[in-house]
Amino acid sequence: QNPAWEVIIGGLLFQAAGHLARRLLHEQQPPSQYHERREALRRISPALRLVESHFTEPLTLDEMAHAALVSRSHLCALFNTALSVSPIAYRNSRRLVDGQRLLRSTDLPIHVIAYTVGFSSAQEFNRLFLREVGMRPSQFRRAFDDKSQNISSSSTTISSPT
């Protein structure tokens, strides 16, 4: 694998940990809930690592539960306690993050991106993307292209002082 992927994945994990830490700090939780959440996060960390390294594959709830050495129902309860989402929603969210990256950085067709990031169909990717991001993948790509064109066109009009 390309060593840059290690940096990218490390950065994404760091972002996720930072988001979780900020969320935990801003919530007014009794100490017992904080410790319960922290313990749940520790227990699901093998499943989180599995998702990070294999999210593009057809990763099942059984495989994630097996990685965390717990039952499927217990894994769902732990994810809900730690992250307030189900394991499948977390996996899909991870796929959507990578889908957004590919929409911004490549010209690959949307159906190719859907399969590349692990969805079984372009329809599933489109439906979840719209629900989670608030726009269709094609709209997201156009919006990003419009912003980059505005930035590049405005940077060409700036002249140096003489």
Side-chain angles (χ1 to χ4, degrees):
Q1 279 191 351
N2 186 343
W5 281 109
E6 292 177 23
V7 173
I8 292 169
I9 289 174
L12 290 170
L13 283 171
F14 188 70
Q15 283 179 332
H19 176 70
L20 182 59
R22 281 190 303 279
R23 191 168 161 196
L24 289 173
L25 287 173
H26 292 307
E27 289 180 6
Q28 297 298 325
Q29 295 180 332
S32 62
Q33 280 185 335
Y34 169 77
H35 291 298
E36 182 181 338
R37 200 172 212 176
R38 188 173 166 186
E39 177 61 18
L41 188 58
R42 185 189 67 74
R43 299 270 316 269
I44 66 170
S45 64
L48 293 174
R49 283 192 299 273
L50 179 68
V51 170
E52 287 303 317
S53 59
H54 297 282
F55 68 89
T56 61
E57 300 168 15
L59 191 56
T60 66
L61 184 58
D62 284 329
E63 292 167 322
M64 289 185 265
H66 181 73
L69 303 174
V70 296
S71 69
R72 292 167 42 148
S73 60
H74 192 57
L75 182 71
C76 291
L78 288 170
F79 260 83
N80 191 43
T81 298
L83 303 174
S84 302
V85 296
S86 72
I88 298 302
Y90 179 83
R91 179 206 63 195
N92 289 341
S93 175
R94 181 63 188 89
R95 288 174 174 174
L96 289 173
V97 166
D98 205 46
Q100 289 176 8
R101 179 188 63 79
L102 291 172
L103 286 166
R104 285 190 306 264
S105 63
T106 71
D107 291 328
L108 290 171
I110 291 170
H111 72 279
V112 172
I113 290 174
Y115 294 117
T116 301
V117 299
F119 286 102
S120 59
S121 71
Q123 291 79 13
E124 181 185 18
F125 176 67
N126 288 331
R127 181 179 54 80
L128 289 173
F129 198 97
L130 178 61
R131 186 177 75 198
E132 297 300 321
V133 180
M135 63 179 76
R136 285 188 232 98
S138 57
Q139 294 170 315
F140 180 87
R141 178 176 268 166
R142 275 194 305 275
F144 185 82
D145 285 345
D146 290 345
K147 287 179 185 173
S148 11
Q149 287 175 2
N150 288 341
I151 290 169
S152 63
S153 66
S154 66
S155 66
T156 57
T157 59
I158 298 173
S159 59
S160 60
T162 51

